[in-house]
Amino acid sequence: MRNISGACLAIFWLLGAALPAQGPLPEEKPQSEAAIEAPAEEPGEAPAAEPVPTPADKPDVEPEAETPPATEIPKPDDKPSPAESPVGTPETGAPKPLEKPTPAPPQTPAEDAVPPKPVPPPVIPIENEDDATYKACTAALTAMGATFQEDRRVDDGSGCGMDRPITVTRLSPSVALQPEGTFRCETALQLARMTRDMIVPTANLSLPDMGVLKAVNHASGYVCRNRNSAETGKMSEHARGNAVDIAALTFEGGAVPMVIAKQDDGTLPAAFQRSLNAFACLYFTTVLSPGSDAAHQDHLHLDVIKRKSGFRYCR
């Protein structure tokens, strides 16, 4: 019996020496299909715990580019380069590189700047008067009793002038032109006709107390200038001898100036002015009455410029 017990002990001793100190542990049952499909980890190594992300505050404005968080602390002997800024970005606190400012281009002083010169309008040559038309015009003036003299051609080379100008001193035996004026014959003829046919009878009807018309007072005849005496722009019809500006009418009882006729003025002098503004367009192709614009406040502009289809501008 002792021999059997001793043999058993010897066998257990030998088996105990061959067995490991700890037996294998039973494998845990996977919790899901994902656990079964996941690859087995290396024995003896525990998986590294991933850091739990902390939710950051959402900025008010979306940043232009994502900046990674700073993970390294510079050593004491590290010195920022001149291109780096000691001030960190508001998102990460990391140094933000400074952009080198671009120098502004040198500016030319205002006094050295030369403004471009305005391009002058093309020079329109002086038109030659048709001989037959000119002779018929002067004959009509003579028949009306106008007083005038024929002058030489005027041409300054810049567009101002007339081919066959005349200087008028009287529009009829009883009505003078003050001061004397130089025009093309067509301008003088239309002014003489309007004076005889419209101004005299209308004044007798509306201004009976003023007496007989003695003179037509003009402010401008032939003058070499641009429209409204501007430095640039189109040439005035005065520079062609086509225009005359009436400033006043002189009667036996005194002068009647050209004024702005108010529509609510029901007096006879106002009616006379409105009538004059209207019937002038029967003789002239352009009529600018007093008050028609800023340049015509105290006179009546009349001219005989030719337009397409016989159009007339009356204002």
Side-chain angles (χ1 to χ4, degrees):
M1 187 67 177
R2 290 181 177 177
N3 293 333
I4 295 171
S5 300
C8 291
L9 291 173
I11 292 171
F12 284 120
W13 182 84
L14 291 174
L15 292 174
L19 293 174
Q22 182 176 357
L25 299 176
E27 296 183 359
E28 295 180 1
K29 184 179 180 179
Q31 299 298 324
S32 63
E33 295 179 0
I36 298 175
E37 296 176 357
E41 297 180 356
E42 293 294 333
E45 294 183 3
E50 296 182 359
V52 179
T54 302
D57 295 336
K58 185 176 181 181
D60 295 336
V61 180
E62 184 178 356
E64 297 181 359
E66 182 179 357
T67 306
T71 56
E72 295 183 4
I73 300 176
K75 297 179 180 180
D77 56 349
D78 291 341
K79 296 181 180 180
S81 62
E84 295 180 348
S85 170
V87 182
T89 60
E91 293 87 353
T92 63
K96 181 179 179 181
L98 291 176
E99 295 181 358
K100 186 177 180 180
T102 304
Q107 297 182 356
T108 305
E111 56 269 18
D112 295 340
V114 179
K117 295 181 179 180
V119 179
V123 177
I124 302 176
I126 303 302
E127 295 184 3
N128 295 328
E129 295 275 2
D130 178 72
D131 187 64
T133 303
Y134 175 77
K135 288 182 177 180
C137 179
T138 55
L141 278 175
T142 302
M144 294 172 61
T147 304
F148 61 92
Q149 68 178 22
E150 301 179 58
D151 299 328
R152 293 182 180 180
R153 177 183 172 93
V154 178
D155 189 350
D156 70 345
S158 299
C160 294
M162 297 166 284
D163 181 33
R164 302 177 75 169
I166 63 172
T167 298
V168 181
T169 56
R170 302 192 72 84
L171 299 173
S172 68
S174 59
V175 180
L177 180 65
Q178 296 180 348
E180 65 179 25
T182 302
F183 319 94
R184 286 184 56 242
C185 182
E186 179 68 16
T187 307
L189 179 60
Q190 295 304 325
L191 180 60
R193 286 175 173 172
M194 185 181 73
T195 301
R196 180 194 64 187
D197 298 340
M198 302 300 292
I199 295 180
V200 171
T202 304
N204 291 337
L205 179 64
S206 58
L207 304 174
D209 296 338
M210 296 301 295
V212 178
L213 177 67
K214 304 297 293 183
V216 173
N217 306 95
H218 78 94
S220 179
Y222 168 74
V223 181
C224 184
R225 63 174 174 82
N226 292 325
R227 292 182 180 178
N228 300 330
S229 300
E231 294 183 1
T232 59
K234 294 183 178 181
M235 185 171 291
S236 170
E237 290 305 306
H238 286 279
R240 300 286 186 156
N242 288 329
V244 58
D245 291 340
I246 305 303
L249 301 173
T250 300
F251 294 87
E252 289 178 329
V256 175
M258 299 293 99
V259 296
I260 300 174
K262 298 180 180 180
Q263 295 300 320
D264 58 350
D265 188 346
T267 62
L268 283 176
F272 172 75
Q273 180 69 63
R274 286 194 293 268
S275 300
L276 177 57
N277 298 341
F279 64 63
C281 210
L282 299 174
Y283 298 87
F284 293 89
T285 57
T286 303
V287 176
L288 298 177
S289 305
S292 59
D293 57 33
H296 300 84
Q297 296 292 309
D298 57 358
H299 65 275
L300 178 67
H301 171 89
L302 310 170
D303 70 52
V304 293
I305 185 176
K306 300 299 181 183
R307 293 189 175 91
K308 294 181 180 179
S309 303
F311 177 76
R312 296 181 178 228
Y313 184 85
C314 306
R315 184 175 179 179

